[in-house]
Amino acid sequence: MSYSRTITGKKFSAKDIDAIEVDIEDIAHSLSQINRYNGHLDAPYSVAQHSVLVADIYAAEVSGTASELLAALLHDTSEAYFQDLTPALKNYLSEYKAIEKAMSAHIFRCFDVPNTIRVMEDIKEIDAKVRTDEMIERAPWFGYETKGARNYPNQRIPVMEWWQAKALFLKRFKAICQNR
């Protein structure tokens, strides 16, 4: 069986997702080095930063539990194991989508995070609004600036080094877990 290894040396394979030993250090490290939008932005912007932003907005808009807030933070964590693909490619890869969904479910089980339809719909809605704001702020050449105002005008996306994004993600994870 072919497999890959994480930064901490753990093996993982798309063929045996339930056997993957999930580690928040591996997730934070990987997500902090994966650029959103295949890097087609004015500056590096990682999936880790995006995840923290979605969690922060979820906390401000939804009166959910700490476990639900953790779901918002972890909503893209399958990408730590199987990469972030653009919708232009992902929409053609149904098998990839199934692997991504199974990995997300596995990670949520490992961290005892709710995967209910209501919670995931709330996260998906915030995620879509954040995506528009990311495009307005970091990639105005995509044309989003002509579609109206930002969804979250008080939120800004600072430029960060990968290690800063990793530290921010881990700090937010630990803070949420302390309140569970």
Side-chain angles (χ1 to χ4, degrees), residues 62-163:
V62 180
S63 58
T65 66
S67 292
E68 292 169 354
L69 179 56
L70 188 57
L73 181 68
L74 300 179
H75 79 281
D76 279 339
T77 51
S78 67
E79 296 170 9
Y81 296 90
F82 300 117
Q83 206 43 262
D84 182 21
L85 299 181
T86 64
L89 178 59
K90 193 185 297 190
N91 291 336
Y92 292 101
L93 304 173
S94 58
E95 191 170 343
Y96 174 84
K97 286 181 174 182
I99 292 167
E100 182 181 49
K101 185 176 182 179
M103 188 66 209
S104 291
H106 176 63
I107 292 168
F108 276 34
R109 282 191 303 275
C110 288
F111 290 110
D112 194 28
V113 173
N115 197 3
T116 65
I117 292 172
R118 180 193 57 80
V119 170
M120 297 317 294
E121 284 178 352
D122 287 344
I123 294 167
K124 189 174 182 177
E125 181 180 329
I126 291 169
D127 193 34
K129 290 178 181 178
V130 166
R131 186 171 32 255
T132 299
D133 286 4
E134 290 166 349
M135 295 283 81
I136 291 169
E137 185 169 340
R138 287 297 180 84
W141 51 87
F142 279 41
Y144 281 82
E145 74 277 9
T146 62
K147 293 185 179 179
R150 292 173 58 111
N151 293 294
Y152 305 107
N154 296 326
Q155 291 287 340
R156 289 293 180 253
I157 303 167
V159 174
M160 287 185 186
E161 297 291 332
W162 73 267
W163 53 269

Side-chain angles (χ1 to χ4, degrees), residues 28-29 31-35 43-49 138 157-169:
H29 185 84
L31 294 184
S32 68
Q33 295 193 48
I34 299 172
N35 279 313
Y45 176 53
S46 71
V47 175
Q49 276 183 270
R138 287 297 180 84
I157 303 167
V159 174
M160 287 185 186
E161 297 291 332
W162 73 267
W163 53 269
Q164 293 170 308
K166 178 180 178 178
L168 178 65
F169 184 92

